Amino acid sequence: GKGEYDHFMLKEIHEQPTALSQALEGRIDTQNGRIALADFDPGTFADIDSVQFIACGTSYHAALYGSLALKQAGVESTALLANEYSVSAPPVDDDTLVVAVTQSGETADTLNALRRAEAEGAMTVTVTNVVGSTAAREADEALFIRAGPEIGVAATKTFSSQAVMLTLLGQRIAADRHGDPPADLDTLLPELAAMPDALDDLLAETDAEAIAERYHNSRSYFFIGRGLGFPVALEGALKFKEITYEHAEGFASGELKHGPLALVTPDTPVFAIFTGQEDEKTLKNAEEAQTRGAPVVAVCPEDHRAVDVADAHLEIPETDADLAGLLANVQLQLVSYYAADLLDRPIDKPRNLAKSVTVE
Ligand code: F6R
């Protein structure tokens, strides 16, 4: 049941520290500076030339996150919408790894793309929550995110667990590919291990309800981020539209001035996500919106320069740039939740949506 919570969504948001502990259990070895994925012998990915991530919806945003992180670790990779894969897949051969990211393991679009990749000879892995799902049975290997059942139609904890799992997998691929662990793995591992505690702190101190109160009667909601903040901006907007039924859009920060700025007014709050990757540019982009009257909500650590500039602040604990976006995402989940609650929406079962989409 929902226990002390009014909705499954809020319960599942609060389950994220536990979900991440479960995802990480036995998989990181901070002592020896290694990632331990039991299913993959050392060198499994040594010959992989490129990685294609395929997924839909929220899982696509996790896939984009994983793909960008892998690119930053020096491995060629792309994230592709599974429903576009049949018309736009880059070439695949037996040195291509295709990673199907799917919470349910039953999404028709993702299964179709997975089957196509397999038919063309790619090595395949699925990152999924459901043991025994079709994706888990059909992919060469399955990595389980261990998030526990998710009842809310809007995915929350499974996004965080997928992104963490893809970060682990990406670091393993990069280590195999380069023959050495990525240089910054030593700093990343302790921060990964500290994610459950960081989330506990965030959940205990969040101002998301007050931010939702202040802005929930706006005309449109914009989310901007750069680098690993970009998939978080997309996910922030998707969550917001799914459960509030209000118009929301996510943009790469630098794209705001290439069109969307025409929509910006005092009635369009802009949530700016700062991950430590070229933050000064994102701040400048946010200020361009602020100059047109838009209130800016900075999602960043307490002592960040953006706090002085912004109209409001959602705090995230200090962490590695590879992980900050995941903390920001949880603040945005909470804003969507409280805004939807104020608007009296049926949060756990939004109209027209299903938890698992088994048709093309
Ligand atoms: C959004 C949401 C959907 C799913 C998408 C893929 O909150 O839940 O966008 O992420 O339908 O589902 P899975 O991950 O089961 O393949």
Side-chain angles (χ1 to χ4, degrees), residues 273-294:
I273 299 146
F274 296 94
T275 60
Q277 297 176 308
E278 302 193 334
D279 281 359
E280 59 303 329
K281 289 188 187 168
T282 295
L283 186 56
K284 201 161 157 282
N285 302 139
E287 286 183 88
E288 282 156 9
Q290 201 179 38
T291 305
R292 276 88 185 169

Side-chain angles (χ1 to χ4, degrees), residues 81-135:
L81 288 167
N83 37 68
E84 286 286 306
Y85 195 76
S86 52
V87 286
S88 66
V92 163
D93 60 31
D94 51 13
D95 292 333
T96 311
L97 173 66
V98 172
V99 182
V101 186
T102 167
Q103 188 283 128
S104 62
E106 302 298 345
T107 300
D109 290 330
T110 308
L111 292 174
N112 286 339
L114 174 65
R115 286 169 186 152
R116 183 186 160 107
E118 278 185 326
E120 291 184 12
M123 173 183 180
T124 60
V125 171
T126 186
V127 171
T128 183
N129 198 28
V130 182
V131 176
S133 60
T134 307

Side-chain angles (χ1 to χ4, degrees), residues 56-59 102-104 107 153-155 239 242:
C56 308
T58 288
S59 293
T102 167
Q103 188 283 128
S104 62
T107 300
V153 164
K239 212 85 316 176
E242 280 183 293

Side-chain angles (χ1 to χ4, degrees), residues 283-346:
L283 186 56
K284 201 161 157 282
N285 302 139
E287 286 183 88
E288 282 156 9
Q290 201 179 38
T291 305
R292 276 88 185 169
V296 169
V297 183
V299 192
C300 61
E302 190 176 18
D303 58 1
H304 198 284
R305 215 171 69 73
V307 178
D308 301 327
V309 175
D311 301 273
H313 177 216
L314 282 167
E315 185 183 341
I316 58 169
E318 288 281 357
T319 186
D320 197 274
D322 280 359
L323 303 171
L326 302 184
L327 297 176
N329 182 61
V330 174
Q331 287 285 24
L332 299 179
Q333 291 172 349
L334 287 161
V335 172
S336 290
Y337 172 80
Y338 288 115
D341 200 33
L342 286 161
L343 295 166
D344 219 12
R345 308 296 190 221

Side-chain angles (χ1 to χ4, degrees), residues 38-59:
D39 294 328
F40 302 111
D41 296 330
T44 302
F45 304 110
D47 295 329
I48 293 299
D49 283 336
S50 71
V51 183
Q52 297 176 6
F53 295 88
I54 49 176
C56 308
T58 288
S59 293

